[in-house]
Amino acid sequence: MFKIRHALSVTREADFAAWYQAVIAEADLAEESGVRGCMVIKPWGYGIWERIQRLLDDRIKAAGHENCYFPIFIPLANFEREASHVDGFAKEMAVVTHHRLIAGENGGLIPDPEAKLEEPLIVRPTSETIFGDAMARWIQSWRDLPLKLNQWANVVRWEMRTRMFLRTSEFLWQEGHTAHADEAEAKEHTLRMLEVYRACAEEDLALPVIAGEKPEHERFPGAVETWSIEAMMQDGKALQAGTSHYLGTNFSEAAGIQYQDREGQQTFCHTTSWGVSTRMVGGVIMTHGDDDGLRVPPAIAPHQVVILPMLRDKPEDDALLAYCEELRASLAGKSVLGEPLRVLLDKRHGKAAAKRWDWVRKGAPLIIEVGGRDMENGVVSLLRRDGLWDAESGKPAFQTPSKESAAGEIPAMLEDMQRSMLGEARDRREAAITRGVTEFSELERIYGGDAKHPGWTEVQWSKPTGEALEKVVERLKALKLTARNAPMDAEPANGSCIFTGEPAVERILIARAY
Amino acid sequence: MFKIRHALSVTREADFAAWYQAVIAEADLAEESGVRGCMVIKPWGYGIWERIQRLLDDRIKAAGHENCYFPIFIPLANFEREASHVDGFAKEMAVVTHHRLIAGENGGLIPDPEAKLEEPLIVRPTSETIFGDAMARWIQSWRDLPLKLNQWANVVRWEMRTRMFLRTSEFLWQEGHTAHADEAEAKEHTLRMLEVYRACAEEDLALPVIAGEKPEHERFPGAVETWSIEAMMQDGKALQAGTSHYLGTNFSEAAGIQYQDREGQQTFCHTTSWGVSTRMVGGVIMTHGDDDGLRVPPAIAPHQVVILPMLRDKPEDDALLAYCEELRASLAGKSVLGEPLRVLLDKRHGKAAAKRWDWVRKGAPLIIEVGGRDMENGVVSLLRRDGLWDAESGKPAFQTPSKESAAGEIPAMLEDMQRSMLGEARDRREAAITRGVTEFSELERIYGGDAKHPGWTEVQWSKPTGEALEKVVERLKALKLTARNAPMDAEPANGSCIFTGEPAVERILIARAY
């Protein structure tokens, strides 16, 4: 057996956090901007986000929503109307206080005291309150319901500890906001959008997720119920990958979102909100990356196939490029996962091996190298990113189909890769969930010891509230654990609460989390 | 002849500014948000912007650019590095000074004095300086050039007088930023992107534009050359619809964007930037709107065909809906302007006439009403938004093709509408440009009198600079005029400067402007 020389200098096993940063750097996804807590999303990282946007936007529109755009600034008074909402965000909001700069005494510019705003403006951390104002204007009668809106936007939450894609002061997301006639319809819609997120995560990003309700203390500020999809990263930690909130009439009462029902009564609407962000890209990295860099699922890969002609700056290059161009053209017409195949012919000059490893680290699903000898033999040298190494030889596992058969086989190969990446991640997750734990001491054993990646645990609990819940949270915190969600597909509870010994009412997932 | 009863309560002729606001309200495009100078872009308005984005993004990518995303906040020190740049924007910048709120003495929230930023952050009015920082990190050698980036983002300029779409404190745009090895290549690229904008405006938005160089005093702060596309609105005023800047080495020197050339010398890059914004939507309204509301060119219409079944809440509705669904399905497979046809079957209940006028005001290109009698006769009632009225009868000019022939004819009808809207606007503009004016007194006659929509004037000038230019600007200002651009396709100058009497060096467009 050969020892494989991986493309990254740090492995997942050696230092997962350092490996994550290395993938981001080596796959050219993003970098620190020099502006506190904000990142620059570089073209390959942004290309992945654009793919996620396109696919999720289609799903959101198919569920009957229309896109719109609301102001980035929210007047402070507006934000204050829903008490628990403002409490939840006040500590981390960027505040605009002036609208002009003038020269200061030392020559530099300072905010102009004459241009101080009468009322500070908040840079939106989320937009329930400003959507709420518009909903109050737009909704008059039951005929105007449901109102189903979505926007793609940047938001700002002044995070003290940031990590690229996972937690940044500014991030990109979509936020959906809907208003409904009654509780039943609003709750149904909350779960419908949770299902849209589950489908997007699993089918598009190949991220297996568990959908369920967040416990009370993890609710969105102002929500009556918060539901999430949770994904397991390769280090066994949980990543909350999307949330959907049933807001009851909290925001309707604060903003006056009322409608005249069929009987002529003025009634408060029930609203929902739900969001998914650039954090998803972090989830893709930590789920699919390996010690050679990123692996991008074909559905969200900006380029699914990259063709690399082995150019030598010699007259023969022309014939080689023509051969590659034929391959590119034959692929560009194919359909993969319901869309036209995305293929790049990378004509940059430079060493063939360097270009190959660039694309390996970036995680392009299929890399096709074509040299003079390939052309003579009418073949191509094809490398699957999800089967990079030949275990026997320790070398890259090139396949050499004929050019024609490659073009025919590639769509099925990409679709197989999309499926198998999901399957691999799901198998890994299932193997790392411990079920049937009935004693708290068992949690201490699992998480208190030296186990590097202890995974998740499913336990039964009595769904405590108030002080009893606080006590549970403290006990979990001592083990650096959090309660993730109560999976909607879990078996009914049939035992005792692992924390209180009382009869359990549901099952809940316990994990360390990002 | 009948008097046509138009769908808006105000005509272009009676009060163009009020008409503009009425179209925005009646076509449900946008509204004031309650946040100073910011608007809410409603679904129909945002849908038009999404179409513009999609088409322009394709053009920008086809020209070799990659999308990315930079932070919304720019440190003040960063902004200050290019002197004329900061001078140009300092008066209208939103300034973030705090990152937390706390309860104030009167119970409300106030910015927490303990959470004051050491250095204020600017909400980006444009991103040359922060792209420049990254370019300085990313570019090492001639091999890294050209670097061609673009981002879609929101920006904030604190405007004192705002008008929806045309001038708002926050607006949406794309901003391209590129770095090149030398002046020739950067200048060529500046003009290439101007041509991309011209093509997008004319081919996608059906907005005829004149491309040319802005005079010195209208340059972007920090630019060496600013080029624009200028469109004429129906009131004869000019709208600057897009700009492309050659920045020389101004931003490279400020940020240290250098590369090692083929001879090993460290050399400053020449950079460009160029942007198009939601202002374009205002241009579409003022170019294509009429006294019945908006008319959206088919290429950027969210729905190109709207089918309105005349539902009666009776059992017969089912057959009618099935008939309409057949029509919808037969249209959805068609190709129009290189894309799949976009068709909506509007199943909302409500009066047929009310629904028709909704879509007339919104400007859907083709409206198809289907009633029971149409179904019996196997026909549909089709209304072209660009030929709404029958001049003889004063009634809507319905055509009644058979259902089958309608499906066959509609793609060509939409493509004809796209062409004819451009042609109509171009003819109107050409008729409203006065050429051959050689005396300033002639400008006084044209613009000083009672003429409601005096249009544009092309004059020759000596391209004065400094004080001489200031004098010209003052003289124009007295007539509420501005110099728009020196059209690149104009005939060479062959006369005297209309302002100074000196030999002219170029022709320039004079107009009132938004």
Side-chain angles (χ1 to χ4, degrees):
Chain A
M1 288 288 282
F2 292 80
K3 175 137 176 69
I4 288 166
R5 193 149 157 272
H6 286 290
L8 297 185
S9 57
V10 54
T11 64
R12 290 161 290 176
E13 187 58 28
D15 185 341
F16 197 79
W19 167 84
Y20 177 72
Q21 298 298 338
V23 174
I24 289 173
E26 297 287 320
D28 228 15
L29 296 168
E31 69 181 26
E32 298 291 347
S33 67
V35 182
R36 204 204 141 286
C38 297
M39 64 178 173
V40 174
I41 308 180
K42 299 176 81 170
W44 186 246
Y46 195 80
I48 294 169
W49 176 242
E50 278 184 310
R51 289 292 313 152
I52 296 173
Q53 278 192 300
R54 178 73 58 101
L55 294 169
L56 181 55
D57 192 61
D58 286 348
R59 291 181 187 274
I60 290 171
K61 284 178 176 152
H65 302 85
E66 292 185 302
N67 284 341
C68 55
Y69 188 77
F70 277 72
I72 187 172
F73 298 130
I74 304 182
L76 186 46
N78 192 314
F79 218 90
E80 284 176 320
R81 279 187 220 132
E82 215 291 330
S84 57
H85 189 60
V86 72
D87 280 356
F89 287 105
K91 287 182 195 141
E92 51 180 42
M93 298 208 283
V95 189
V96 176
T97 54
H98 294 74
H99 64 81
R100 188 166 60 224
L101 297 167
I102 53 164
E105 286 177 12
N106 63 4
L109 290 171
I110 58 166
D112 181 355
E114 301 284 310
K116 190 172 176 184
L117 300 179
E118 280 184 35
E119 186 189 17
L121 293 172
I122 304 307
V123 182
R124 65 179 160 221
T126 181
S127 304
E128 279 74 11
T129 62
I130 195 153
F131 270 79
D133 275 6
M135 286 177 168
R137 293 194 296 270
W138 299 349
I139 296 170
Q140 310 294 333
S141 105
W142 59 271
R143 288 182 197 83
D144 302 320
L145 296 176
L147 180 60
K148 294 156 71 176
L149 301 173
N150 179 62
Q151 80 173 359
W152 291 91
N154 53 345
V155 288
V156 170
R157 299 176 187 178
W158 205 267
E159 302 282 356
M160 279 302 130
R161 295 182 57 186
T162 60
R163 201 190 301 230
M164 278 194 281
F165 289 113
L166 301 177
R167 198 175 292 278
T168 47
S169 291
E170 180 192 18
F171 57 92
L172 304 182
W173 77 346
Q174 60 66 223
E175 49 180 321
H177 298 274
T178 67
H180 305 265
D182 58 38
E183 175 174 343
E185 189 189 296
K187 283 188 169 174
E188 186 189 328
H189 197 71
T190 305
L191 294 184
R192 182 172 181 196
M193 295 320 295
L194 191 72
E195 167 57 19
V196 164
Y197 286 165
R198 185 207 60 73
C200 174
E202 300 198 333
E203 293 163 21
D204 300 337
L205 284 66
L207 284 191
V209 293
I210 292 182
E213 191 183 353
K214 300 294 280 186
E216 179 188 302
H217 64 290
E218 298 277 8
R219 274 182 207 142
F220 176 76
V224 175
E225 291 175 4
T226 286
W227 297 74
S228 73
I229 51 171
E230 303 278 339
M232 184 187 285
M233 305 295 100
Q234 288 181 69
D235 61 353
K237 286 196 190 173
L239 182 80
Q240 180 178 296
T243 48
S244 185
H245 316 290
Y246 166 60
L247 304 171
T249 58
N250 291 346
F251 288 88
S252 290
E253 292 183 33
I257 311 172
Q258 294 185 77
Y259 71 99
Q260 194 167 47
D261 67 19
R262 285 165 201 255
E263 284 72 47
Q265 294 291 312
Q266 282 296 107
T267 311
F268 282 114
C269 292
H270 291 250
T271 66
T272 83
S273 69
W274 25 277
V276 146
S277 76
T278 32
R279 172 166 245 235
M280 279 280 207
V281 179
V284 169
I285 298 169
M286 291 194 291
T287 300
H288 299 304
D290 65 16
D291 295 337
D292 297 301
L294 184 58
R295 298 186 312 163
V296 189
I300 58 167
H303 311 303
Q304 296 166 317
V305 180
V306 174
I307 304 171
L308 298 174
M310 299 173 79
L311 302 172
R312 297 171 180 281
D313 296 317
K314 288 189 178 165
E316 301 90 87
D317 284 358
D318 288 348
L320 193 62
L321 280 172
Y323 184 86
C324 289
E325 175 53 33
E326 280 170 26
L327 176 63
R328 193 204 61 76
S330 68
L331 284 169
K334 306 275 179 188
S335 169
V336 173
L337 299 162
E339 291 183 279
L341 191 150
R342 295 181 294 282
V343 52
L344 174 75
L345 171 51
D346 180 355
K347 296 180 188 173
R348 288 177 304 157
H349 289 251
K351 287 188 183 154
K355 285 167 70 178
R356 176 203 307 159
W357 291 110
D358 267 2
W359 288 110
V360 165
R361 287 189 300 262
K362 282 172 182 282
L366 291 179
I367 297 168
I368 299 180
E369 286 185 15
V370 187
R373 201 179 299 170
D374 293 312
M375 184 169 64
E376 277 166 33
N377 297 333
V379 301
V380 300
S381 294
L382 186 155
L383 201 52
R384 264 180 81 139
R385 184 61 185 84
D386 65 342
L388 197 58
W389 298 104
D390 181 87
E392 293 281 319
S393 68
K395 291 184 179 167
F398 280 108
Q399 304 171 37
T400 51
S402 74
K403 189 177 67 160
E404 284 66 32
S405 64
E409 290 163 19
I410 280 174
M413 221 179 259
L414 289 165
E415 292 181 353
D416 174 62
M417 196 182 301
Q418 183 76 24
R419 261 192 312 276
S420 74
M421 289 177 82
L422 175 63
E424 185 189 319
R426 185 176 276 148
D427 291 347
R428 187 172 54 227
R429 181 193 70 192
E430 286 308 302
I433 299 182
T434 307
R435 291 189 165 85
V437 169
T438 55
E439 300 290 334
F440 189 82
S441 60
E442 185 77 359
L443 287 186
E444 288 171 328
R445 195 192 60 73
I446 295 172
Y447 296 102
D450 292 334
K452 198 153 191 177
H453 298 158
W456 300 359
T457 308
E458 188 191 88
V459 304
Q460 301 193 26
W461 79 338
S462 58
K463 208 175 176 179
T465 57
E467 274 182 42
L469 176 58
E470 272 173 44
K471 218 166 141 184
V472 166
V473 172
E474 281 306 311
R475 287 174 75 187
L476 288 172
K477 203 175 165 187
L479 293 168
K480 296 178 185 162
L481 291 170
T482 57
R484 304 312 303 160
N485 70 21
M488 48 201 299
D489 295 336
E491 299 287 313
N494 59 3
S496 308
C497 175
I498 193 176
F499 304 107
T500 63
E502 291 165 16
V505 302
E506 67 184 9
R507 293 171 197 263
I508 192 157
L509 288 173
I510 304 294
R512 292 190 175 140
Y514 282 96
Chain B
M1 289 288 282
F2 292 81
K3 175 138 177 69
I4 290 166
R5 194 151 154 270
H6 287 289
L8 297 185
S9 58
V10 54
T11 64
R12 290 161 289 175
E13 187 58 26
D15 184 341
F16 196 79
W19 167 85
Y20 178 72
Q21 298 298 336
V23 174
I24 289 173
E26 298 286 321
D28 229 14
L29 297 168
E31 68 182 26
E32 297 292 346
S33 66
V35 182
R36 202 204 141 287
C38 296
M39 63 178 173
V40 174
I41 308 180
K42 299 176 80 170
W44 186 247
Y46 195 79
I48 295 169
W49 175 240
E50 278 184 309
R51 289 290 312 152
I52 296 174
Q53 277 192 300
R54 180 72 59 101
L55 294 169
L56 181 55
D57 192 60
D58 287 347
R59 292 181 186 274
I60 289 171
K61 284 178 175 149
H65 302 86
E66 293 185 303
N67 284 342
C68 55
Y69 188 76
F70 276 73
I72 188 173
F73 297 131
I74 303 181
L76 186 45
N78 192 315
F79 218 91
E80 284 176 320
R81 277 186 221 133
E82 215 289 331
S84 57
H85 189 61
V86 71
D87 279 357
F89 287 105
K91 287 184 194 139
E92 51 178 42
M93 298 207 283
V95 189
V96 176
T97 54
H98 294 74
H99 64 81
R100 188 164 62 223
L101 296 167
I102 53 165
E105 286 178 11
N106 63 3
L109 291 171
I110 58 166
D112 181 353
E114 302 284 310
K116 190 171 174 184
L117 300 180
E118 280 185 34
E119 186 190 17
L121 292 172
I122 303 308
V123 181
R124 65 179 160 221
T126 182
S127 303
E128 279 73 11
T129 62
I130 196 154
F131 270 80
D133 274 6
M135 286 176 168
R137 293 194 297 269
W138 299 350
I139 295 170
Q140 310 295 330
S141 103
W142 60 271
R143 287 183 199 83
D144 302 320
L145 295 176
L147 179 61
K148 292 156 73 176
L149 301 172
N150 180 62
Q151 80 173 358
W152 291 92
N154 53 344
V155 288
V156 170
R157 298 178 187 176
W158 205 268
E159 302 281 357
M160 279 303 130
R161 296 184 56 188
T162 61
R163 200 191 301 230
M164 278 194 283
F165 289 113
L166 301 177
R167 197 176 293 279
T168 48
S169 290
E170 180 192 19
F171 57 92
L172 305 181
W173 78 347
Q174 59 66 221
E175 48 180 321
H177 297 274
T178 67
H180 304 266
D182 58 38
E183 176 175 342
E185 190 190 294
K187 283 187 168 175
E188 187 189 328
H189 197 71
T190 305
L191 294 185
R192 182 171 180 194
M193 295 318 296
L194 190 72
E195 167 56 19
V196 164
Y197 287 165
R198 185 207 60 74
C200 174
E202 300 199 333
E203 293 164 19
D204 301 337
L205 283 67
L207 283 192
V209 293
I210 292 182
E213 191 183 353
K214 301 293 279 186
E216 177 188 303
H217 65 290
E218 298 278 10
R219 275 183 207 141
F220 177 76
V224 175
E225 292 175 5
T226 286
W227 297 74
S228 74
I229 52 171
E230 304 278 337
M232 185 187 284
M233 306 295 99
Q234 287 182 69
D235 62 353
K237 285 195 192 173
L239 183 80
Q240 179 178 297
T243 47
S244 184
H245 315 290
Y246 165 60
L247 305 172
T249 57
N250 291 346
F251 288 89
S252 291
E253 291 182 34
I257 312 172
Q258 295 185 75
Y259 71 100
Q260 194 169 48
D261 67 19
R262 285 167 201 253
E263 283 74 48
Q265 292 291 313
Q266 282 296 106
T267 310
F268 283 114
C269 291
H270 291 250
T271 66
T272 82
S273 70
W274 26 276
V276 147
S277 75
T278 32
R279 172 165 246 233
M280 279 281 208
V281 178
V284 168
I285 298 168
M286 291 194 290
T287 301
H288 299 304
D290 65 17
D291 295 337
D292 297 300
L294 184 58
R295 298 187 311 163
V296 189
I300 58 168
H303 311 304
Q304 295 166 318
V305 180
V306 175
I307 304 172
L308 299 174
M310 298 173 79
L311 301 172
R312 297 170 180 282
D313 295 318
K314 289 189 176 163
E316 302 90 88
D317 284 357
D318 288 346
L320 192 61
L321 279 172
Y323 184 85
C324 288
E325 175 54 33
E326 280 169 26
L327 176 63
R328 194 204 61 75
S330 68
L331 284 171
K334 307 275 179 188
S335 169
V336 173
L337 299 163
E339 292 182 278
L341 191 148
R342 295 181 294 282
V343 53
L344 174 76
L345 171 52
D346 180 356
K347 297 179 188 174
R348 288 176 304 157
H349 290 251
K351 287 188 182 153
K355 286 167 68 178
R356 176 203 308 160
W357 291 111
D358 267 2
W359 287 110
V360 165
R361 286 189 299 264
K362 283 173 181 282
L366 292 179
I367 297 168
I368 300 180
E369 287 184 18
V370 187
R373 199 179 301 168
D374 292 313
M375 185 169 62
E376 277 165 34
N377 297 332
V379 301
V380 300
S381 295
L382 187 154
L383 200 52
R384 267 181 80 140
R385 183 62 183 84
D386 65 341
L388 196 58
W389 299 104
D390 181 86
E392 295 280 319
S393 68
K395 291 183 179 169
F398 280 108
Q399 304 172 35
T400 52
S402 74
K403 189 176 67 160
E404 284 66 31
S405 64
E409 291 164 18
I410 280 174
M413 222 179 259
L414 289 165
E415 293 182 351
D416 174 61
M417 196 182 302
Q418 183 75 24
R419 258 192 312 276
S420 74
M421 288 178 83
L422 175 64
E424 185 189 320
R426 184 176 277 150
D427 291 348
R428 187 172 53 228
R429 180 192 71 191
E430 287 307 302
I433 299 183
T434 308
R435 291 189 165 87
V437 169
T438 54
E439 301 291 332
F440 189 82
S441 60
E442 184 77 357
L443 287 185
E444 287 170 327
R445 194 191 60 73
I446 295 172
Y447 295 102
D450 292 334
K452 199 155 190 175
H453 297 158
W456 300 359
T457 309
E458 187 190 271
V459 304
Q460 301 193 27
W461 79 339
S462 58
K463 207 176 177 180
T465 58
E467 274 183 40
L469 175 59
E470 273 175 41
K471 219 165 141 185
V472 166
V473 171
E474 281 306 311
R475 288 175 74 188
L476 288 171
K477 204 175 168 188
L479 294 168
K480 297 180 185 161
L481 290 170
T482 57
R484 305 312 302 160
N485 70 23
M488 48 202 298
D489 295 335
E491 298 287 312
N494 60 1
S496 307
C497 175
I498 192 175
F499 304 108
T500 63
E502 290 164 17
V505 301
E506 67 184 10
R507 291 169 199 265
I508 192 156
L509 288 172
I510 303 295
R512 291 190 175 138
Y514 283 97

